[in-house]
Amino acid sequence: MSELARAARAVAGGRHIAVLTGAGVSAESGIPTFRGAGGLWRGFDSASLATPEAFAANPKLVWEFYNWRREIVARADPNPAHVALTKLAGRVPRLSLITQNVDRLHHRAGSRGVLELHGNLWEIRCTRCGETSDRTGDILPPLPSCGACGGLARPAVVWFGEALPDDVWSAAQESVRDADVLLVVGTSAVVYPAAALVTLGKRAGQTIIEVNLEPTPVSDAIDIGLYGKAGELLPQLVPSEQE
Ligand code: OAD
């Protein structure tokens, strides 16, 4: 039996499918990933701009980077990988969708209850009073300020060295521990604590499936590896409506 057939069988027979996605799931929507090809913006390593230190040193540069990403995301559409996960949720007893992405494309594809580990790109948060506001689709000034107190606002995303939102992180861990199938899609699995979810629920009886262009540091711990584009592979894991 092929790896793809084994994966499809595990998914179709799953009681609770937990899915962890990363930037690769949005790559076919034209959104650059953080590492590998596309991981550079104006010669800067994208991940190095996603830090509180980078923002403290040069908020204008970090905002330029995020405003650029906001524009790309605003123009992008969900791709067949996002759509497949939405369909899958309707065809299995339970599905939990956990994402490291801040682009909200899972929401736009119709997924519900998405656990956003790293926040999202559309909200901004005041660095002075903490007020958060939803600026979905808005074109922001080079240095956005808080509508309440006038302080400097920042993207309401989780940066390196910052804690994940407690409630989201707890819910993600619970889902992975409970799931009998874990689908890990389009993540380089090098950013913690998110990457720790891959092996958190590892036990006899849990099937871990990795979907990526190439093997990653967690590939040794997984059961089934599917190497290719998420937009081509995920639709093949969705059971037909009659199953
Ligand atoms: P990365 O950019 O590190 O990794 C993207 C992964 O997707 C790589 O392993 C690629 O091989 C894979 N990939 C690319 N195109 C694909 C495709 N079409 N189909 C399947 N796989 C594909 O992105 P993440 O692992 O999501 O955090 O990065 C994790 C975190 O690091 C991000 O959430 C962000 C970043 O810095 C913060 O901003 C805090």
Side-chain angles (χ1 to χ4, degrees):
M1 191 186 282
S2 70
E3 292 288 271
L4 185 60
R6 283 178 64 214
R9 194 164 75 170
V11 168
R15 169 186 56 79
H16 179 183
I17 319 285
V19 186
L20 172 66
T21 67
V25 84
S26 295
E28 290 157 74
S29 293
I31 300 175
T33 56
F34 285 87
R35 294 171 188 79
L40 284 184
W41 173 78
R42 289 205 209 149
F44 292 97
D45 164 13
S46 297
S48 74
L49 294 168
T51 67
E53 292 76 21
F55 189 70
N58 195 341
K60 195 155 172 285
L61 178 72
V62 172
W63 261 120
E64 267 182 75
F65 170 66
Y66 277 95
N67 280 333
W68 169 72
R69 287 191 76 93
R70 283 170 64 103
E71 277 177 39
I72 292 175
V73 170
R75 285 197 303 268
D77 290 314
N79 68 55
H82 300 105
V83 174
L85 291 174
T86 306
K87 276 196 192 147
L88 184 59
R91 302 205 186 150
V92 294
R94 183 174 170 204
L95 182 139
S96 303
L97 180 50
I98 306 158
T99 189
Q100 298 166 82
N101 298 344
V102 297
D103 57 33
R104 293 237 145 144
L105 287 181
H106 285 306
H107 297 70
R108 283 172 53 198
S111 288
R112 298 282 165 260
V114 183
L115 295 169
E116 292 179 307
L117 294 176
H118 294 159
N120 76 83
L121 192 68
W122 295 120
E123 286 175 349
I124 67 173
R125 188 170 74 240
C126 180
T127 57
R128 191 193 290 161
C129 73
E131 174 95 351
T132 300
S133 59
D134 185 348
R135 304 295 302 270
T136 302
D138 291 354
I139 294 178
L140 300 175
L143 274 178
S145 56
C146 171
C149 78
L152 174 65
R154 55 164 280 179
V157 298
V158 176
W159 281 332
F160 285 99
E162 295 182 329
L164 272 49
D166 270 345
D167 50 344
V168 178
W169 179 237
S170 302
Q173 291 180 89
E174 257 171 56
S175 297
V176 171
R177 284 203 182 97
D178 181 67
D180 50 354
V181 178
L182 173 62
L183 196 51
V184 182
V185 186
T187 176
S188 56
V190 295
V191 175
Y192 282 78
L197 289 173
V198 178
T199 48
L200 186 76
K202 186 73 188 149
R203 60 179 187 276
Q206 189 186 55
T207 306
I208 308 180
I209 303 166
E210 175 172 63
V211 175
N212 200 303
L213 291 182
E214 58 194 17
T216 70
V218 295
S219 298
D220 285 347
I222 57 125
D223 303 294
I224 305 174
L226 303 178
Y227 298 107
K229 291 184 174 178
E232 291 169 8
L233 291 166
L234 289 186
Q236 300 182 65
L237 296 183
V238 181
S240 58
E241 264 170 304
Q242 306 87 286
E243 277 184 60

PDB file of all heavy atoms in Angstrom, residues 212-225:
ATOM      1  N   ASN A 212       4.784  17.720   3.474  1.00  0.00           N
ATOM      2  CA  ASN A 212       5.761  18.806   3.293  1.00  0.00           C
ATOM      3  C   ASN A 212       6.450  18.592   1.947  1.00  0.00           C
ATOM      4  O   ASN A 212       6.387  17.499   1.381  1.00  0.00           O
ATOM      5  CB  ASN A 212       6.803  18.772   4.436  1.00  0.00           C
ATOM      6  CG  ASN A 212       7.521  20.100   4.606  1.00  0.00           C
ATOM      7  OD1 ASN A 212       8.130  20.621   3.686  1.00  0.00           O
ATOM      8  ND2 ASN A 212       7.443  20.653   5.806  1.00  0.00           N
ATOM      9  N   LEU A 213       7.105  19.624   1.459  1.00  0.00           N
ATOM     10  CA  LEU A 213       7.884  19.450   0.227  1.00  0.00           C
ATOM     11  C   LEU A 213       9.059  18.521   0.477  1.00  0.00           C
ATOM     12  O   LEU A 213       9.535  17.851  -0.427  1.00  0.00           O
ATOM     13  CB  LEU A 213       8.422  20.809  -0.258  1.00  0.00           C
ATOM     14  CG  LEU A 213       7.415  21.820  -0.798  1.00  0.00           C
ATOM     15  CD1 LEU A 213       8.160  23.075  -1.265  1.00  0.00           C
ATOM     16  CD2 LEU A 213       6.596  21.234  -1.943  1.00  0.00           C
ATOM     17  N   GLU A 214       9.533  18.510   1.734  1.00  0.00           N
ATOM     18  CA  GLU A 214      10.748  17.732   2.037  1.00  0.00           C
ATOM     19  C   GLU A 214      10.734  17.309   3.503  1.00  0.00           C
ATOM     20  O   GLU A 214       9.975  17.878   4.300  1.00  0.00           O
ATOM     21  CB  GLU A 214      11.986  18.600   1.771  1.00  0.00           C
ATOM     22  CG  GLU A 214      11.961  19.870   2.614  1.00  0.00           C
ATOM     23  CD  GLU A 214      12.972  20.924   2.175  1.00  0.00           C
ATOM     24  OE1 GLU A 214      13.480  20.833   1.049  1.00  0.00           O
ATOM     25  OE2 GLU A 214      13.240  21.823   2.993  1.00  0.00           O
ATOM     26  N   PRO A 215      11.548  16.316   3.861  1.00  0.00           N
ATOM     27  CA  PRO A 215      11.607  15.908   5.269  1.00  0.00           C
ATOM     28  C   PRO A 215      12.083  17.065   6.160  1.00  0.00           C
ATOM     29  O   PRO A 215      12.747  17.990   5.692  1.00  0.00           O
ATOM     30  CB  PRO A 215      12.630  14.770   5.264  1.00  0.00           C
ATOM     31  CG  PRO A 215      12.625  14.254   3.868  1.00  0.00           C
ATOM     32  CD  PRO A 215      12.371  15.448   2.993  1.00  0.00           C
ATOM     33  N   THR A 216      11.713  17.002   7.428  1.00  0.00           N
ATOM     34  CA  THR A 216      12.042  18.052   8.399  1.00  0.00           C
ATOM     35  C   THR A 216      12.703  17.408   9.624  1.00  0.00           C
ATOM     36  O   THR A 216      12.777  16.177   9.703  1.00  0.00           O
ATOM     37  CB  THR A 216      10.755  18.768   8.863  1.00  0.00           C
ATOM     38  OG1 THR A 216      10.018  17.836   9.668  1.00  0.00           O
ATOM     39  CG2 THR A 216       9.907  19.243   7.699  1.00  0.00           C
ATOM     40  N   PRO A 217      13.111  18.210  10.605  1.00  0.00           N
ATOM     41  CA  PRO A 217      13.728  17.613  11.804  1.00  0.00           C
ATOM     42  C   PRO A 217      12.808  16.654  12.571  1.00  0.00           C
ATOM     43  O   PRO A 217      13.290  15.863  13.368  1.00  0.00           O
ATOM     44  CB  PRO A 217      14.052  18.844  12.665  1.00  0.00           C
ATOM     45  CG  PRO A 217      14.168  19.970  11.702  1.00  0.00           C
ATOM     46  CD  PRO A 217      13.223  19.677  10.582  1.00  0.00           C
ATOM     47  N   VAL A 218      11.484  16.725  12.344  1.00  0.00           N
ATOM     48  CA  VAL A 218      10.611  15.789  13.074  1.00  0.00           C
ATOM     49  C   VAL A 218      10.270  14.544  12.251  1.00  0.00           C
ATOM     50  O   VAL A 218       9.556  13.664  12.724  1.00  0.00           O
ATOM     51  CB  VAL A 218       9.288  16.454  13.551  1.00  0.00           C
ATOM     52  CG1 VAL A 218       9.559  17.537  14.587  1.00  0.00           C
ATOM     53  CG2 VAL A 218       8.459  16.991  12.394  1.00  0.00           C
ATOM     54  N   SER A 219      10.816  14.465  11.042  1.00  0.00           N
ATOM     55  CA  SER A 219      10.425  13.347  10.163  1.00  0.00           C
ATOM     56  C   SER A 219      10.724  11.979  10.765  1.00  0.00           C
ATOM     57  O   SER A 219      10.013  11.006  10.502  1.00  0.00           O
ATOM     58  CB  SER A 219      11.102  13.479   8.795  1.00  0.00           C
ATOM     59  OG  SER A 219      10.674  14.668   8.175  1.00  0.00           O
ATOM     60  N   ASP A 220      11.762  11.888  11.602  1.00  0.00           N
ATOM     61  CA  ASP A 220      12.092  10.592  12.208  1.00  0.00           C
ATOM     62  C   ASP A 220      11.013  10.125  13.171  1.00  0.00           C
ATOM     63  O   ASP A 220      10.887   8.939  13.453  1.00  0.00           O
ATOM     64  CB  ASP A 220      13.420  10.689  12.990  1.00  0.00           C
ATOM     65  CG  ASP A 220      14.601  10.736  12.040  1.00  0.00           C
ATOM     66  OD1 ASP A 220      14.385  10.446  10.835  1.00  0.00           O
ATOM     67  OD2 ASP A 220      15.707  11.091  12.493  1.00  0.00           O
ATOM     68  N   ALA A 221      10.252  11.077  13.707  1.00  0.00           N
ATOM     69  CA  ALA A 221       9.245  10.722  14.721  1.00  0.00           C
ATOM     70  C   ALA A 221       7.871  10.452  14.113  1.00  0.00           C
ATOM     71  O   ALA A 221       6.942  10.099  14.832  1.00  0.00           O
ATOM     72  CB  ALA A 221       9.130  11.869  15.736  1.00  0.00           C
ATOM     73  N   ILE A 222       7.758  10.615  12.810  1.00  0.00           N
ATOM     74  CA  ILE A 222       6.416  10.481  12.233  1.00  0.00           C
ATOM     75  C   ILE A 222       6.206   9.075  11.665  1.00  0.00           C
ATOM     76  O   ILE A 222       7.143   8.302  11.521  1.00  0.00           O
ATOM     77  CB  ILE A 222       6.166  11.563  11.154  1.00  0.00           C
ATOM     78  CG1 ILE A 222       7.221  11.475  10.063  1.00  0.00           C
ATOM     79  CG2 ILE A 222       6.169  12.952  11.743  1.00  0.00           C
ATOM     80  CD1 ILE A 222       6.651  11.321   8.740  1.00  0.00           C
ATOM     81  N   ASP A 223       4.947   8.750  11.388  1.00  0.00           N
ATOM     82  CA  ASP A 223       4.630   7.412  10.891  1.00  0.00           C
ATOM     83  C   ASP A 223       4.532   7.359   9.373  1.00  0.00           C
ATOM     84  O   ASP A 223       4.902   6.378   8.755  1.00  0.00           O
ATOM     85  CB  ASP A 223       3.297   6.946  11.504  1.00  0.00           C
ATOM     86  CG  ASP A 223       3.357   6.955  13.008  1.00  0.00           C
ATOM     87  OD1 ASP A 223       4.130   6.159  13.557  1.00  0.00           O
ATOM     88  OD2 ASP A 223       2.687   7.800  13.637  1.00  0.00           O
ATOM     89  N   ILE A 224       3.961   8.417   8.804  1.00  0.00           N
ATOM     90  CA  ILE A 224       3.752   8.417   7.356  1.00  0.00           C
ATOM     91  C   ILE A 224       4.220   9.768   6.810  1.00  0.00           C
ATOM     92  O   ILE A 224       3.782  10.818   7.297  1.00  0.00           O
ATOM     93  CB  ILE A 224       2.259   8.209   6.999  1.00  0.00           C
ATOM     94  CG1 ILE A 224       1.713   6.924   7.646  1.00  0.00           C
ATOM     95  CG2 ILE A 224       2.062   8.180   5.483  1.00  0.00           C
ATOM     96  CD1 ILE A 224       0.210   6.702   7.459  1.00  0.00           C
ATOM     97  N   GLY A 225       5.091   9.753   5.816  1.00  0.00           N
ATOM     98  CA  GLY A 225       5.576  11.000   5.218  1.00  0.00           C
ATOM     99  C   GLY A 225       5.075  11.139   3.791  1.00  0.00           C
ATOM    100  O   GLY A 225       5.252  10.233   2.973  1.00  0.00           O
TER     101      GLY A 225
END
